[in-house]
Amino acid sequence: MNQILDRVKSPKDLKQLKMKDLSKLAKEMRTLIIDTVSKTGGHLSSNLGVVELTLALHYAFDTPEDKIIWDVGHQCYPHKILTGRRDIFPNLRQYNGMSGFPCRGESEHDVYDTGHASTALSAALGMSIARDRKKEDYHVVAVVGDGSLTGGIAWEALNQIGHLKEKLIIVLNYNEMSISQNVGAISKYLSYIVSEQYYLKIKDLVKSILKVIPAVGKPMIKVGGAVEEAIKKTFFPGLVFEELGVKYIGPISGHNTGSLIEIFEKAKTYDGPVLIHCVTQKGKGYAPAKKNPERFHSASPFDVESGKLLNKDKKPTFSSVFGQTVMKLGEEDEKIIAITAAMPDGTGLKSFGQKYPGRFFDVGIAEQHAVEFAAGLGVSGFKPVVAIYSTFLQRAYDQLYHDVCLMDIPVVFALDRAGIVPDDGPTHQGINDIIYLRHMPHMIVMAPKDENELQHMIKSALSYSHPTAVRFPKGKGLGVALDEKIEEIPLGKSELLKEGKDLFLAFGSMVNPALKAAKKLEKEGISLAVVNARFAKPLDEEMILRFARKGRTIITVEEGVTAGGFGSAVRELLDRQKKYSVRFKSIGIPLEIYPLGKTDLIKKKYLLDEKGLFLQIKEFYGVAS
Ligand SMILES: Cc1ncc(C[n+]2csc(CCOP(=O)(O)OP(=O)(O)O)c2C)c(N)n1
């Protein structure tokens, strides 16, 4: 059925194909990607957009000798299919399956693991310099999207690339989209370069300049090419890249494999940094994704025929409850300003942005800037709510510490996707935030037990007048009713959910399984009081010490790495009270490289589901199974 694809087991096989076969191959690859992602879920639109680009790269370059670095890496499916992983492609993003991102452990063709945006240019420069120092001879290619080019680190890299003039190739995959429509001045600039207006201006300019050069003018108009290029450089310095010292080629179609190969061959001969500006279309080849590239950016399983998502669970997500809450609170308080770093939809803030465009900012993939920008607003009396996924806020550690927390500026951080994150693997796990937030001066750290409590926590966070983080998991809530009236939670106050002898103190998403496990443990003769901690900082010290004073066992549980996390905070509190002797156990995620797959399977692995908690605690108490 796949007449061409069946013949391609490696990039070497690709090079045996005739040019005319490449477009058939592109079609077959698209069908494979659509069919697979419709079952596994995944980054559909971006991958459909880079099929020809990837074919051309593997045709022109020789991996693994030549190195291709994929920025973010979410667009690597065609690369994986062409580099010997077609057989494992059906296991895309599955537990113990194939990663949806470049993964060095998977193939020698993946030279650099990615997942977070804007890193490829810096890594490519480092690899180019290493190549030259080692007197080796190969090409280094960084593929970066226009969305990822909004990240400051990409410009820090360009700053050094243009200065050092190291030989390396940058492929700018321009599709006008980040996850949503790309935003900002750089995006505007790039779209101007590819616009017709720009071409018409150049044409007019070339004509008018040549007309005023007597005698030679007319023939030169026909010469076009080189002359046009020279005028373009002089009057439209393309060229911000040229100004920075990087040769600019483009804009060219990213869907014409033949001309892409020609240009890549040309770029290989250039002895310095060169950027090739390719224009692609996100979702190409699949009508529903082309029509709605945002929805299919990271799609859950869908019906190929209709493009309809298969997930029928109607419970609201934590993100949507967060978005509704900010909307509700924003109606009453004009000082509330919502900020996202390229995730208006994912964070649930899109509707707020539509209703209050003047109080909503999408800063691009720029988490550090988002935090610093919020600090500026907060220090001036506004109430910024910054919604960033737990894993991506790691980027802004210094802004959190040096700016927001040292100055005690009231900024609310909504950490979506906190805890175990399904499908995307180690780069996207949100399991470090309790650790990197807990030791910040003035910072308050909260986590709700369900989506209803999330509403109250967002309101509370806005009332505390300190930097406050609220972490909550990816996906659907528990389906509990949402209180009409949103109320403040007293700072540092926990909630007793079940009476018992010893203390089982659960944080956020672990409250519900902890409660269920404790009820089962009761039948085994283990009596646990279950407390919803609500706060990792400040802790409800009085409540914890009540148990400690009586010499009761204390068990903590969190959906995060235990080293330095919530359990550590409780242990430190107990350590400070030298007079009490308490048996203590902290349950959470160990330090290791985290697996890929669905949340329930990962929770099962770490014994963090109801059954796992039951078994761990029974063992801790020495109760035989
Ligand atoms: C630091 C960081 N923030 C946010 C994200 C989430 N994210 C994944 S892909 C993406 C958009 C990337 O846009 P672009 O580079 O243009 O690639 P495209 O999907 O358009 O091909 C974003 C925001 C991320 N991976 N890393």
Side-chain angles (χ1 to χ4, degrees), residues 303-503:
D303 171 57
V304 175
E305 195 71 27
S306 64
K308 287 204 174 108
L309 301 183
L310 298 178
N311 191 344
K312 297 268 188 304
D313 188 347
K314 291 274 181 293
K315 286 196 227 74
T317 60
F318 277 92
S319 315
S320 65
V321 172
F322 162 72
Q324 284 162 29
T325 308
V326 179
M327 182 82 108
K328 226 169 169 178
L329 299 172
E331 271 163 26
E332 297 152 17
D333 189 345
E334 288 191 353
K335 289 236 156 72
I336 292 176
I337 290 187
I339 299 169
T340 173
M343 306 287 203
D345 201 35
T347 55
L349 287 175
K350 199 173 185 172
S351 309
F352 185 92
Q354 283 158 352
K355 188 153 183 207
Y356 302 110
R359 287 159 56 199
F360 170 77
F361 296 93
D362 178 354
V363 300
I365 309 178
E367 289 80 6
Q368 291 168 291
H369 163 64
V371 174
E372 199 80 62
F373 170 58
L377 287 162
V379 85
S380 314
F382 282 90
K383 295 182 182 171
V385 178
V386 184
I388 293 181
Y389 295 179
S390 163
T391 186
F392 302 138
L393 191 64
Q394 287 168 189
R395 282 263 161 107
Y397 179 83
D398 190 53
Q399 284 70 25
L400 286 163
Y401 182 78
H402 172 270
D403 302 282
V404 175
C405 288
L406 282 186
M407 285 189 270
D408 194 13
I409 300 174
V411 176
V412 174
F413 297 97
L415 273 73
D416 199 329
R417 275 69 165 166
I420 290 163
V421 172
D423 312 320
D424 287 334
T427 52
H428 285 62
Q429 296 300 347
I431 52 186
N432 295 309
D433 55 79
I434 309 172
I435 304 163
Y436 70 71
L437 293 170
R438 190 171 78 73
H439 61 274
M440 299 257 170
H442 306 294
M443 178 64 94
I444 295 164
V445 184
M446 291 195 269
K449 67 174 188 292
D450 56 35
E451 64 273 31
N452 184 40
E453 195 170 49
L454 173 62
Q455 311 185 80
H456 302 301
M457 284 198 174
I458 297 298
K459 177 158 178 143
S460 310
L462 282 159
S463 73
Y464 293 148
S465 303
H466 294 289
T468 304
V470 185
R471 78 184 304 257
F472 50 90
K474 178 172 181 175
K476 303 283 175 188
L478 306 185
V480 298
L482 298 178
D483 295 336
E484 198 52 42
K485 188 158 186 275
I486 307 182
E487 290 184 291
E488 283 167 30
I489 297 169
L491 182 61
K493 199 89 196 103
S494 62
E495 179 191 30
L496 176 69
L497 296 176
K498 174 189 168 302
E499 300 277 1
K501 182 169 156 267
D502 293 337
L503 172 62

Side-chain angles (χ1 to χ4, degrees), residues 551-555 574 581-585 617 620-622:
R552 299 283 158 77
T553 294
I554 296 179
I555 302 168
L574 296 172
S581 130
V582 170
R583 232 161 74 85
F584 178 82
K585 180 176 175 64
I617 293 174
F620 181 62
Y621 277 86

